[in-house]
């Protein structure tokens, strides 16, 4: 059982099904326009459920979608404008003042509300990862799933501290060694310097 938070247009659904065809996937995407695309993708696979919600420990009403040169940059959609500005400055050479923002009304729920029993949770939410984890306390403590979370320097320490109570350790996949490497000061500093996004894996030995 897999929870996919920040489903976008189904990239993770495709990859999870590629390696685990019989897996049950619960995907969450707050953007109504992307959700329509997910509905078409859902028809191609068995055991996939999709939900048009943002996941957060607090009530969220707006999603911000940056637009540059008339193109919606949906991969950068965020619930948190401060994170968007910070990432835009670090990852692009385009002046943030030159982009426009679309504000989309959305609905949100806590992940615990759905009472799913996952083995894996993937989170890619452009800076809202910590709030998602806070909304999933019961889900995580009861099931101790593997978590795949996009790294953000602003919330990494809070997330790591939150997971200490569950005795999780954090890792990064090394293509060179074809295995997970435990995070240390050296590789976390390398991650901070990268101009591309990086996923971390949080794993509890008791899971």
């Amino acid at each position: 059982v897999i929870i996919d938070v920040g489903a976008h247009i189904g990239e993770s659904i495709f990859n999870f099904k590629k390696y685990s065809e019989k897996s049950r996937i619960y995907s969450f995407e707050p953007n109504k326009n992307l959700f329509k695309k997910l509905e078409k993708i859902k028809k191609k696979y068995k055991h996939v459920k999709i939900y048009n919600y943002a996941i957060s420990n607090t009530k969220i009403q707006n999603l911000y979608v940056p637009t540059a040169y008339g193109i919606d940059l949906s991969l950068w959609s965020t619930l948190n404008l401060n994170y968007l500005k910070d990432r835009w400055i670090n990852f692009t050479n385009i002046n943030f003042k030159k982009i426009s923002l679309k504000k989309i009304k959305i609905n949100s729920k806590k992940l615990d509300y759905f009472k799913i029993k996952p083995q894996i949770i993937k989170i890619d939410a452009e800076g809202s990862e910590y709030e998602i984890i806070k909304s999933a306390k019961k889900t995580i403590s009861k099931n101790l799933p593997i978590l795949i979370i996009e790294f953000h320097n602003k919330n990494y320490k809070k997330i790591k501290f939150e997971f200490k109570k569950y005795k999780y350790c954090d890792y990064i996949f090394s293509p060179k060694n074809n295995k997970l490497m435990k995070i240390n000061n050296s590789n976390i500093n390398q991650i901070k310097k990268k101009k591309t996004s990086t996923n971390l894996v949080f794993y509890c030995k008791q899971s």
Side-chain angles (χ1 to χ4, degrees):
V1 176
I2 300 168
I3 294 175
D4 172 23
V5 182
H8 195 238
I9 57 173
E11 297 94 333
S12 292
I13 294 173
F14 171 80
N15 284 317
F16 284 131
K17 283 295 185 180
K18 181 179 178 181
Y19 295 102
S20 181
E21 187 178 348
K22 294 182 180 180
S23 61
R24 293 184 178 273
I25 302 176
Y26 298 81
S27 290
F28 296 85
E29 174 54 54
N31 188 323
K32 292 178 176 63
N33 297 323
L34 299 182
F35 185 76
K36 291 177 182 177
K37 295 181 180 181
L38 284 174
E39 287 180 312
K40 295 179 181 178
I41 292 169
K42 177 183 177 294
K43 294 177 182 178
K44 298 180 181 179
Y45 300 103
K46 293 180 179 179
H47 311 307
V48 174
K49 291 187 177 182
I50 57 174
Y51 301 87
N52 191 202
Y53 289 107
I55 298 297
S56 181
N57 64 325
T58 59
K59 188 176 181 180
I60 302 293
Q61 295 181 315
N62 297 313
L63 176 73
Y64 300 94
V65 183
T67 302
Y69 307 110
I71 301 172
D72 286 355
L73 305 176
S74 59
L75 269 173
W76 292 71
S77 299
T78 184
L79 308 174
N80 190 318
L81 276 178
N82 290 327
Y83 276 107
L84 174 60
K85 291 177 182 178
D86 182 65
R87 280 174 63 77
W88 191 269
I89 291 168
N90 288 319
F91 282 75
T92 79
N93 295 317
I94 302 172
N95 190 323
F96 188 77
K97 293 180 180 179
K98 291 185 177 181
I99 70 167
S100 58
L101 292 170
K102 287 185 178 180
K103 186 165 69 172
I104 300 174
K105 289 291 181 183
I106 61 171
N107 297 309
S108 66
K109 286 188 180 294
K110 293 182 178 182
L111 192 57
D112 284 341
Y113 169 84
F114 297 92
K115 298 180 180 179
I116 303 168
K117 298 178 181 179
Q119 282 78 52
I120 296 173
I121 300 177
K122 164 253 163 182
I123 304 174
D124 182 355
E126 297 302 318
S128 297
E129 290 77 12
Y130 179 69
E131 290 75 16
I132 292 166
I133 291 163
K134 293 286 282 186
S135 86
K137 284 186 174 182
K138 291 180 181 178
T139 303
I140 294 171
S141 63
K142 288 181 179 179
N143 301 286
L144 298 176
I146 295 169
L147 291 106
I148 304 167
I149 303 174
E150 186 178 26
F151 172 82
H152 290 278
N153 191 35
K154 294 282 186 178
N155 62 23
Y156 166 68
K157 287 184 179 179
K158 290 195 296 184
I159 291 172
K160 186 167 183 173
F161 181 80
E162 183 69 23
F163 281 144
K164 273 189 176 181
K165 66 183 74 170
Y166 307 118
K167 297 182 179 179
Y168 273 80
C169 293
D170 50 338
Y171 302 83
I172 184 172
F173 179 73
S174 170
K176 182 179 179 181
N177 300 305
N178 195 34
K179 65 179 183 179
L180 291 173
M181 308 290 288
K182 197 167 184 178
I183 293 293
N184 55 40
N185 289 333
S186 176
N187 53 31
I188 201 66
N189 286 329
Q190 290 177 6
I191 293 169
K192 289 177 182 179
K193 294 176 182 178
K194 288 177 66 176
K195 293 296 182 181
T196 55
S197 59
T198 301
N199 287 323
L200 303 184
V201 177
F202 289 83
Y203 174 71
C204 176
K205 290 183 179 180
Q206 298 175 19
S207 60

